[in-house]
Amino acid sequence: MIKSELISTIIELTVESEKFESQLFKQLELLTEKESEHTRVGLYVYLKPENGIEEHRLSKSQLDQMFGKHNHELTKFELINKNENILADLTVHFSNGIIDCVEIWNKLGDYPKEELLTYELKRI
């Protein structure tokens, strides 16, 4: 299970109402944070699949239905924290049919190294 409330919330809201929502929520239960990479203006949080996730992997057909020929990623929300000068795009990346990474990219400058405790998520 993902320990970060922010990362978990980003994934939950992003996959909500997707065509294979229930399958993606089952994946979420079987993911943990593997590592994170702070890039000054953003953050990548790489996820590790746990045992049992294979049965919830999206098939090639399902990926084609969700993404067509586009990259296997979803960007639906912005992260806002005016006190920290943050207006960030949030992208959930998929690899081989499994949620694999969350990318946070701040359009206004540096992104803090500590996890945000207060924030707003705005649908774009």
Side-chain angles (χ1 to χ4, degrees):
M1 177 171 263
I2 296 173
K3 293 179 183 173
S4 165
E5 181 182 324
L6 174 61
I7 297 303
S8 185
T9 300
I10 290 169
I11 296 171
E12 287 173 13
L13 290 175
T14 300
V15 303
E16 191 175 72
S17 301
E18 283 297 320
K19 189 166 190 153
F20 305 105
E21 174 184 3
S22 64
Q23 200 170 341
L24 295 170
F25 271 102
K26 288 177 183 170
Q27 282 189 24
L28 183 57
E29 296 170 9
L30 296 167
L31 292 169
T32 57
E33 293 100 334
K34 180 167 69 175
E35 64 181 306
S36 60
E37 176 186 354
H38 189 271
T39 64
R40 195 177 66 81
V41 296
L43 180 69
Y44 288 91
V45 177
Y46 299 98
L47 303 168
K48 176 183 170 194
E50 298 296 329
N51 291 334
I53 202 166
E54 284 298 318
E55 63 189 76
H56 307 294
R57 177 188 298 272
L58 297 180
S59 68
K60 182 181 179 333
S61 170
Q62 289 172 315
L63 289 168
D64 288 345
Q65 288 178 54
M66 272 184 73
F67 303 107
K69 295 185 186 278
H70 302 286
N71 291 333
H72 295 175
E73 59 186 43
L74 296 171
T75 304
K76 295 181 177 180
F77 290 89
E78 289 179 320
L79 175 70
I80 301 166
N81 181 312
K82 292 179 182 174
N83 294 335
E84 297 283 340
N85 197 35
I86 296 172
L87 176 61
D89 285 336
L90 305 173
T91 304
V92 176
H93 297 270
F94 293 75
S95 179
N96 297 315
I98 293 177
I99 300 165
D100 138 288
C101 176
V102 174
E103 175 186 358
I104 301 172
W105 181 69
N106 188 16
K107 298 180 269 191
L108 302 178
D110 290 350
Y111 186 80
K113 290 185 178 182
E114 304 80 34
E115 179 157 342
L116 295 175
L117 300 177
T118 59
Y119 52 85
E120 174 188 346
L121 296 176
K122 178 183 168 196
R123 185 175 289 275
I124 53 176

